[in-house]
Amino acid sequence: MSSNTGAEARPELSAALSGDELARWYWTLAELTGLARELGIPRSGGKAALTQRLRAALDGAAPPPVPVRRRSAGRQLTAPVNGSTVIPEGQRCSQVLREFFRREIGPSFHFDAYMRTFITEGAGSTLAHAIAHWHATRPAATQPREIGSQFELNRFLRDWHAEHPAGSRTEALTAWRAHRDQPRDPTAR
């Protein structure tokens, strides 16, 4: 027998919900995308943007504008690259760069937030500058960072493990499932 007798249950995700009711519950991106498809609204963007569009559609309000995603038509670096290679506009964190950085920095290299930002915003810099940036940001990279609101599971798990340092992954995931099944304040987003 459930100890949640009388507890509020998550409703079925449908076009009959209000925007506030949608925001009161945790929904996966796949669930939200399915509802967006059903309602004929754009499914692009992150979970937060999609939720905003769904809330507006469910409440009969004008949806927020869908930002135009501009992909740079610029060329991407191809092998071989070296320290004097200049990062072009629109460069992505590619396998070519990963291989280069692993060769130059070592197997501990990974594209963290600092390096992703440097590559994305570093047009005109060289790969030698990127290596220097990697080394310069290592002290900051070891510090805990704010986890974006779109990564709700990651934030929950970090906080849960801080409160339960001896807790297992199974216990953490059980706590997550209980947490996500609870209603929340739709204005607290």
Side-chain angles (χ1 to χ4, degrees), residues 112 114 137-145:
D112 60 10
Y114 295 105
T137 57
R138 291 312 85 201
T142 62
Q143 300 301 311
R145 295 190 55 163

Side-chain angles (χ1 to χ4, degrees), residues 81-87 100 103-104 125-131:
V81 296
N82 60 43
S84 63
T85 301
V86 175
I87 300 170
F100 169 76
R103 191 171 57 249
E104 297 297 316
S125 299
T126 66
L127 294 182
H129 292 129
I131 291 170

Side-chain angles (χ1 to χ4, degrees), residues 13 28-38 41 43 50 54:
L13 183 60
T28 64
L29 182 58
E31 290 172 316
L32 296 172
T33 302
L35 181 60
R37 184 176 290 115
E38 179 184 323
I41 64 171
R43 299 178 304 274
L50 181 56
L54 285 169

Side-chain angles (χ1 to χ4, degrees), residues 16-164:
L17 292 177
S18 69
D20 280 348
E21 190 63 12
L22 175 82
R24 287 185 68 219
W25 301 93
Y26 176 86
W27 307 100
T28 64
L29 182 58
E31 290 172 316
L32 296 172
T33 302
L35 181 60
R37 184 176 290 115
E38 179 184 323
L39 295 175
I41 64 171
R43 299 178 304 274
S44 62
K47 188 174 177 181
L50 181 56
T51 300
Q52 282 184 320
R53 285 194 299 276
L54 285 169
R55 286 184 76 174
L58 292 171
D59 290 342
V66 177
V68 177
R69 184 173 178 193
R70 295 183 184 178
R71 282 212 136 183
S72 172
R75 68 177 181 86
Q76 297 293 301
L77 292 175
T78 58
V81 296
N82 60 43
S84 63
T85 301
V86 175
I87 300 170
E89 183 73 36
Q91 177 64 44
R92 293 184 302 272
C93 297
S94 67
Q95 290 301 320
V96 168
L97 292 183
R98 183 181 316 278
E99 289 171 16
F100 169 76
F101 290 131
R102 285 211 170 134
R103 191 171 57 249
E104 297 297 316
I105 294 169
S108 66
F109 173 80
H110 58 281
F111 282 112
D112 60 10
Y114 295 105
M115 285 301 283
R116 287 190 305 269
T117 300
F118 188 88
I119 297 300
T120 302
E121 298 173 0
S125 299
T126 66
L127 294 182
H129 292 129
I131 291 170
H133 176 75
W134 166 265
H135 291 297
T137 57
R138 291 312 85 201
T142 62
Q143 300 301 311
R145 295 190 55 163
E146 179 63 30
I147 298 174
S149 61
Q150 72 272 31
F151 303 112
E152 189 174 351
L153 170 62
N154 296 13
R155 287 184 354 190
F156 177 87
L157 291 175
R158 181 200 56 205
D159 295 344
W160 188 90
H161 281 294
E163 291 177 22
H164 307 88

